[in-house]
Amino acid sequence: MTNIFASRLSKIKYLPVLIIAYLAALVMLPFIKRQRYVIGGHSGELFEDNGKAFYEFLVNNKSVSAENVIWYSKQKNALSKQINVNRIGSFKGYFDYFTAKCALYTHSSSTDIAPLAFHFKFMQPIRIYLDHGIDGLKKVGWTSKIEPADGYVVASKVGREIKQQYWHLSDDLIIDTGLARYDRLFETMQGKSHSHVTRILYLPTWREWNYGSEQSEFESTEYFQKIVAFLKDPRTYQLVAKHHVILHVELHPFCEPYLNTFKKQIGHIYRIEFAFGNISDEIIKSDLLITDYSSVCWDFLYQNKPVVFYQFDQERYLKDRGSYLDFDTQLFGPVCKTESELLVALHDYIAGEEKVSQKLRHRYFTHIDGNNCARVYSVIEELSKDAKNR
């Protein structure tokens, strides 16, 4: 997967078509009604996450024509024909952006929809930063490069405070609607309880300091060795076998070059699945999450499912990446630094001796009702009315 935070210098190649499309939109705009919603995420490489959730919401919204809902992708033919797609960097992609009613994205408009288009001050659509996860465990180091938007989505007062204090955003730009993708989680939660753990998702996130490592170099990293050691530990096998639990392992997309190395080291272990792909279904199917710093932890908290944090390199992580939260007091699950601590925590949850803190759950989520997309849509409508009245 491409590094979504690559230098903007790589986007200079788009300037000629960007300028031509901008001039064409400038000429045609007086004759066009701004009705389009242009949406993107993950640098156009994935049809997933909050962008996908809001795309599907709009397509099924009777107040919006499906033909006016457009997804942006690097490869136009890579997605289902049922999805209305523009290619990122194309003439039509830029033209639709500058004549759209609203642009929504999970990382930035430049990476997800229209490279460099935010530099043009005139003819911008309403811009909504949907976010790709709740801020908390991972400090954003590029806040000085955050592109301008008309609304930045958060899930709670805690998220609002982070956006104000660390992103330096004004309060009126922050919209506490909840994340779009949680509407699906709310639907799947209805009528279910999670008192019994039968399926565990292990989701270690990536470490920036491992970028570009050769295979042999990567094998010697603490990251690789700790993951392999936990999965091959006889105590892990005994735990899942004794309690008839499935341990499903999903690696971060940046681990793709090292996938065969992982498989070679781990091999086949009874009741442990080793996979690499779309985790949306696993988030719903699994009863408990093991992670280090992944924002997927919030998805589990939202669903009232337990999270165990395995942070074997916490000291280095806090030094090199940083967190908005205090890991000792503000997390919503046990924080483990060794395999032994991790196995004890897992046993306690599987045995039903630990429960999710409802106080913390409601602290981190203002809305648990399945109406997040509807709230985002209402914000867009209000911003649209304000723009017309100016």
Side-chain angles (χ1 to χ4, degrees), residues 40-85:
H42 294 277
S43 297
E45 295 181 347
L46 298 173
F47 180 56
E48 194 49 74
D49 205 355
N50 295 308
K52 176 185 177 182
F54 199 75
Y55 176 94
E56 292 175 341
F57 168 81
L58 287 177
V59 167
N60 294 307
N61 188 328
K62 294 180 180 179
S63 300
V64 179
S65 173
E67 65 182 12
N68 286 325
V69 185
I70 305 170
W71 182 264
Y72 278 64
S73 175
K74 280 189 173 179
Q75 297 181 352
K76 187 173 180 179
N77 298 323
L79 299 175
S80 167
K81 292 182 180 179
Q82 296 179 337
I83 301 170
N84 192 8
V85 180

Side-chain angles (χ1 to χ4, degrees), residues 91-307:
F91 173 85
K92 189 174 187 304
Y94 279 118
F95 183 86
D96 285 347
Y97 173 84
F98 285 119
T99 57
K101 176 179 181 177
C102 183
L104 303 104
Y105 45 88
T106 62
H107 289 81
S108 75
S109 61
S110 272
T111 57
D112 299 343
I113 299 177
L116 300 178
F118 77 95
H119 289 290
F120 290 78
K121 304 302 180 185
F122 181 58
M123 290 199 309
Q124 289 289 338
I126 296 167
R127 292 168 291 183
I128 302 294
Y129 175 71
L130 290 173
D131 215 332
H132 58 289
I134 293 177
D135 296 316
L137 279 72
K138 294 181 178 181
K139 185 172 285 188
V140 176
W142 49 91
T143 52
S144 62
K145 297 181 180 179
I146 292 173
E147 295 177 8
D150 300 287
Y152 297 82
V153 168
V154 296
S156 69
K157 182 180 178 181
V158 176
R160 178 179 294 275
E161 290 171 351
I162 289 172
K163 288 285 196 293
Q164 289 176 317
Q165 181 177 351
Y166 297 99
W167 290 42
H168 309 296
L169 298 178
S170 61
D171 187 65
D172 61 312
L173 292 176
I174 303 169
I175 52 177
D176 187 356
T177 58
L179 270 60
R181 72 168 184 263
Y182 287 163
D183 287 354
R184 183 190 179 208
L185 296 184
F186 182 81
E187 291 176 4
T188 62
M189 287 161 49
Q190 303 313 297
K192 294 183 179 180
S193 62
H194 302 287
S195 58
H196 189 51
V197 176
T198 60
R199 189 176 185 87
I200 297 173
L201 172 61
Y202 178 31
L203 193 71
T205 192
W206 183 246
R207 308 294 192 272
E208 287 83 358
W209 50 86
N210 289 334
Y211 277 126
S213 298
E214 298 294 334
Q215 292 289 338
S216 58
E217 183 183 4
F218 183 74
E219 285 186 60
S220 66
T221 62
E222 182 183 25
Y223 177 77
F224 177 82
Q225 292 180 359
K226 290 292 187 180
I227 293 173
V228 170
F230 166 61
L231 296 176
K232 294 182 72 173
D233 192 320
R235 294 174 297 174
T236 303
Y237 164 77
Q238 291 169 7
L239 181 69
V240 298
K242 177 182 178 181
H243 295 280
H244 307 286
V245 171
I246 295 295
L247 176 58
H248 185 90
V249 186
E250 287 277 355
L251 295 177
H252 191 278
F254 288 140
C255 284
E256 187 172 13
Y258 314 106
L259 185 58
N260 289 333
T261 305
F262 272 106
K263 288 182 175 180
K264 182 179 178 181
Q265 283 287 330
I266 294 170
H268 177 72
I269 304 175
Y270 179 61
R271 303 197 74 83
I272 296 180
E273 300 176 351
F274 194 77
F276 183 83
N278 189 324
I279 65 168
S280 296
D281 291 337
E282 279 301 322
I283 289 172
I284 293 171
K285 289 192 299 183
S286 298
D287 305 303
L288 181 150
L289 173 70
I290 307 169
T291 190
D292 36 30
Y293 316 104
S294 173
S295 62
V296 171
C297 67
W298 302 105
D299 298 60
F300 274 72
L301 179 63
Y302 183 89
Q303 295 177 94
N304 203 28
K305 297 177 182 180
V307 179

